[in-house]
Amino acid sequence: MPKTNVNIIKYKQYISDLLKLAFPILFGELGHILTGVVDVAVISRYSTDALASVSIANSILFTVSIFGLGVLNAITILLANKRGQKERTKKYFTASFNFAIIMSVIFTLISFSSILLINKIGFRQELIHDIKIYIFIVSFSIP
């Protein structure tokens, strides 16, 4: 059997660079998910209808937001390629920031437009109002 001995020291710089790129993305994604978790934990003490409304609204908003985050994560890949080519990436900051602002406005509008679909999805009538209110309020946090 061949002996597989991976020399970690050889890849130490690669691992370090990868972690530098991954941690901001990881914490951003974790923060986004924890927002929904905390909302559900707080509202669960109020009533089951409120919990159902917030959970449904969080599912809708998470779907929209995760798609938006996926689009924005493309910037990370492009900048990693530029950095791998030993190109300076600071010059892309303004363009990346403007792209993120434009995408956040687009996905905020998509979130607001999801309010129009709530009546057609078939939720219980007593939940619809709370779902709409929650989506409206939380949509402002997307940017």
Side-chain angles (χ1 to χ4, degrees):
M1 278 181 111
K3 195 176 190 181
T4 58
N5 186 8
V6 176
N7 188 356
I8 293 215
I9 296 171
K10 179 180 174 184
Y11 298 106
K12 188 175 181 180
Q13 184 61 41
Y14 296 116
I15 293 169
S16 173
D17 287 344
L18 182 63
L19 290 176
K20 285 178 189 175
L21 288 172
F23 274 127
I25 297 167
L26 175 74
F27 287 123
E29 304 268 345
L30 188 63
H32 180 74
I33 291 170
L34 285 177
T35 302
V37 170
V38 170
D39 287 347
V40 168
V42 169
I43 203 72
S44 66
R45 298 173 185 250
Y46 184 65
S47 74
T48 55
D49 282 349
L51 178 60
S53 299
V54 168
S55 297
I56 291 167
N58 264 332
S59 297
I60 293 167
L61 289 169
F62 184 75
T63 302
V64 172
S65 297
I66 204 71
F67 184 73
L69 288 171
V71 170
L72 289 177
N73 281 340
I75 294 172
T76 307
I77 296 167
L78 295 173
L79 292 180
N81 286 334
K82 295 289 183 185
R83 191 166 187 213
Q85 296 168 352
K86 305 292 185 208
E87 227 181 286
R88 291 185 51 89
T89 56
K90 288 184 181 181
K91 63 183 177 182
Y92 297 106
F93 175 76
T94 304
S96 299
F97 186 75
N98 290 337
F99 179 71
I101 294 294
I102 291 167
M103 293 308 294
S104 69
V105 169
I106 289 170
F107 284 103
T108 300
L109 294 173
I110 291 170
S111 294
F112 283 136
S113 66
S114 71
I115 294 171
L116 302 172
L117 300 174
I118 298 300
N119 289 336
K120 298 178 175 141
I121 296 177
F123 298 119
R124 287 190 336 212
Q125 208 55 31
E126 57 270 11
L127 299 179
I128 290 176
H129 177 72
D130 290 339
I131 294 170
K132 288 180 177 181
I133 297 279
Y134 185 83
I135 288 175
F136 179 77
I137 291 170
V138 175
S139 290
F140 286 107
S141 71
I142 290 176

